[in-house]
Amino acid sequence: MVFFDHDDVLEPAALEIMVRAQAATGARLLYSDEDKIDAAGGLSEPHFKPDFDERLLLELNYICHLVLVETDLARLLRFESADDGAQDHDFLLRASEVLAAREIHHVSEVLYHWRKTARSTAADGGAKPRAAVAGAAAVTAHLQRRRRSARVTSRQNTCGYRVTWQCRPGPAKVTILIPFRDQIAMTRACVAAIRRHTRGVAYEIVLLDNASVSEEAEKFIVRQENFPDTRVLRIAEPFNYAGLTISAQSYLTKNFCYL
């Protein structure tokens, strides 16, 4: 299933490119880059998007169009009428709750031309203040479902939002993420330096084991798991620093506050 506005313009090969990307990646939700088109057909303001970033999606629906989504998933999530004006943002947030990061794929080609009209947010980000209110409500509802404590406000009555995180009561705690795949001498030295030099701060070390295979790595992991300030998360996916962090996010959000 593909989502786009009725008066906008697709590149001729847009659907073919999206379907080919889905077949190659197995993703359940895909989105492309986009730009804007005026009444004369002139193109401007290309939007080259990042790969999936949940934190950015909280503050802005940067995904927008073109979106290709698995039909069964679209039927499961549906659009909520209460979020009129921000229903696409709400849909994407709810999709991120049920999809792993690897199931959301960015097709880095401009396949969609968003039409600029006098009353559209393509031309004026503040043209639809009701959409800004609905978007803030959608982000708030998403955070509540994820059991994250935060206050969401619109930035200057636009569909961009400021998320002010509320930490849980108690002493501040720092979580240190260390991704590794084998390379145990380097990882061991890093962990040892943290323990040797850190004073006066409550912290936890989270070692992100990205499919290590060596016997040395297994011994290191077993030893580290015996330290009360250390946890090991085993993540079997292609190496990517940002991707490993996102994969660890479900653990982090249950225990700590983002700042």
Side-chain angles (χ1 to χ4, degrees):
M1 188 174 292
V2 180
F3 299 145
F4 55 92
D5 288 342
H6 69 285
D7 57 345
D8 296 334
V9 180
L10 298 181
E11 278 293 297
L15 297 182
E16 178 184 352
I17 292 170
M18 295 292 281
V19 170
R20 285 181 178 274
Q22 192 285 325
T25 64
R28 300 176 66 191
L29 187 152
L30 302 90
Y31 60 96
S32 76
D33 293 337
E34 64 187 80
D35 59 16
K36 296 179 182 177
I37 186 169
D38 60 27
L43 302 177
S44 63
E45 302 177 54
H47 182 190
F48 302 115
K49 305 169 186 177
D51 288 345
F52 178 66
D53 184 336
E54 189 210 4
R55 184 67 180 272
L56 178 59
L57 186 60
L58 294 178
E59 302 197 7
L60 179 72
N61 180 11
Y62 75 91
I63 291 177
C64 204
H65 297 125
L66 177 68
V67 172
L68 171 71
V69 62
E70 185 181 84
T71 299
D72 288 345
L73 178 63
R75 288 173 175 164
L76 172 67
L77 296 177
R78 297 178 295 180
F79 285 107
E80 298 291 342
S81 58
D83 297 299
D84 186 31
Q87 61 270 26
D88 52 349
H89 197 179
D90 172 71
F91 180 92
L92 293 166
L93 289 167
R94 287 187 290 114
S96 74
E97 297 168 18
V98 299
L99 297 177
R102 63 180 177 276
E103 295 178 302
I104 302 175
H105 180 68
H106 169 219
V107 178
S108 55
E109 296 190 46
V110 176
L111 303 179
Y112 189 90
H113 310 300
W114 187 8
R115 190 176 299 279
K116 298 173 69 172
T117 62
R119 298 184 61 187
S120 77
T121 51
D124 178 2
K128 297 181 178 179
R130 290 181 60 185
V133 173
V139 175
T140 299
H142 167 76
L143 292 172
Q144 290 174 344
R145 290 190 297 269
R146 299 296 295 270
R147 298 183 180 180
R148 301 180 187 173
S149 181
R151 182 169 58 89
V152 181
T153 55
S154 173
R155 296 178 185 268
Q156 300 179 334
N157 296 318
T158 69
C159 293
Y161 309 102
R162 177 178 290 104
V163 179
T164 305
W165 300 96
Q166 308 294 320
C167 289
R168 297 177 181 179
K173 189 172 187 178
V174 176
T175 301
I176 304 169
L177 301 180
I178 305 177
F180 72 98
R181 177 184 291 174
D182 295 311
Q183 300 293 331
I184 299 307
M186 181 188 303
T187 309
R188 183 186 293 114
C190 178
V191 172
I194 292 170
R195 295 196 178 110
R196 183 167 59 250
H197 297 295
T198 305
R199 296 291 182 271
V201 177
Y203 69 90
E204 179 177 54
I205 297 171
V206 179
L207 293 166
L208 307 180
D209 173 27
N210 185 218
S212 296
V213 297
S214 68
E215 182 178 348
E216 183 184 14
E218 187 60 32
K219 291 179 179 178
F220 171 74
I221 290 169
V222 171
R223 177 170 174 75
Q224 294 303 313
E225 287 178 324
N226 288 322
F227 285 90
D229 63 358
T230 302
R231 294 176 184 263
V232 179
L233 299 183
R234 298 173 187 258
I235 303 174
E237 61 185 43
F239 185 82
N240 178 288
Y241 278 111
L244 294 176
T245 302
I246 292 171
S247 296
Q249 198 171 72
S250 60
Y251 165 77
L252 295 173
T253 54
K254 291 178 183 177
N255 297 274
F256 304 105
C257 171
Y258 282 115
L259 295 176

